[in-house]
Amino acid sequence: MTTENPLPERPHYTPGSAQPRLNRPVHERYPQIRPTSGYGDPRIRHTGPGPGAGTEQEPERSSKLSARLALALTVVIGQLWGLTIVVDEWMTGDTGTAWWGAGFLVLSFLVVLGLWALDPKDR
C-alpha cells in the first residue's frame, strides 16, 4: 500500500526571496485559496504568523537603543545617588556642597536630555 501525496510540493518561501515568483502577493501565489477558505480547506496545513515572525528585523537599531537605555539608566542611578548626597549635605547645613551637587544633577539631566534628542526617529 503506497501513500501518495496529492498535493504538489510547495517551494520554500522566505520574505525577500531572490526568486521573484515567491515574492508575489498571496492571492497571486495561491489563486485557488479564496478569502472565504478556512479551517475546512485541506490545502491549509499550517496556521500562524508565518516565516520570520517574531524575529528582530533591525538588529543594529535594537543594539543602539539598548546601549542608549543602559547609559540613561546609569545616569538616572547617578542622579538618585546625587540627590541623596545633596539632601544630606543640605540638612547638615553645608549649602556650598549642596549647590555643587545640585549642579551635578542639572548636568546629568542635560545628558539624558541630549541622549533623548540624539535620534528623533527612534521615538
Side-chain angles (χ1 to χ4, degrees), residues 3 14 22 31 39 49 52 62 64 72 74 79 93 96-97 102 110 112 116 119:
T3 58
T14 56
L22 296 179
Y39 295 109
S62 176
K64 182 173 60 171
T74 303
Q79 285 179 324
T97 306
L110 291 175
V112 171
W116 178 76
D119 200 358

Side-chain angles (χ1 to χ4, degrees), residues 32-62:
Q32 70 276 20
I33 299 178
R34 295 173 302 284
T36 56
S37 297
Y39 295 109
D41 195 331
R43 294 168 293 198
I44 299 176
R45 287 185 246 156
H46 304 286
T47 60
T55 60
E56 181 58 54
Q57 302 296 323
E58 298 179 56
E60 293 86 10
R61 180 174 178 263
S62 176

Side-chain angles (χ1 to χ4, degrees), residues 69-80:
L69 178 65
L71 189 57
L73 287 175
T74 303
V75 171
V76 167
I77 290 171
Q79 285 179 324
L80 291 173

Side-chain angles (χ1 to χ4, degrees), residues 20-114:
R21 66 188 180 88
L22 296 179
N23 288 327
R24 297 176 296 160
V26 172
H27 67 275
E28 289 179 16
R29 281 187 279 140
Y30 302 105
Q32 70 276 20
I33 299 178
R34 295 173 302 284
T36 56
S37 297
Y39 295 109
D41 195 331
R43 294 168 293 198
I44 299 176
R45 287 185 246 156
H46 304 286
T47 60
T55 60
E56 181 58 54
Q57 302 296 323
E58 298 179 56
E60 293 86 10
R61 180 174 178 263
S62 176
S63 63
K64 182 173 60 171
L65 291 175
S66 296
R68 207 178 313 161
L69 178 65
L71 189 57
L73 287 175
T74 303
V75 171
V76 167
I77 290 171
Q79 285 179 324
L80 291 173
W81 171 77
L83 184 61
T84 303
I85 299 299
V86 166
V87 169
D88 188 42
E89 292 298 319
W90 185 268
M91 290 298 191
T92 59
D94 191 2
T95 56
T97 306
W99 283 112
W100 279 106
F104 167 77
L105 293 175
V106 169
L107 180 66
S108 61
F109 175 75
L110 291 175
V111 167
V112 171
L113 195 61

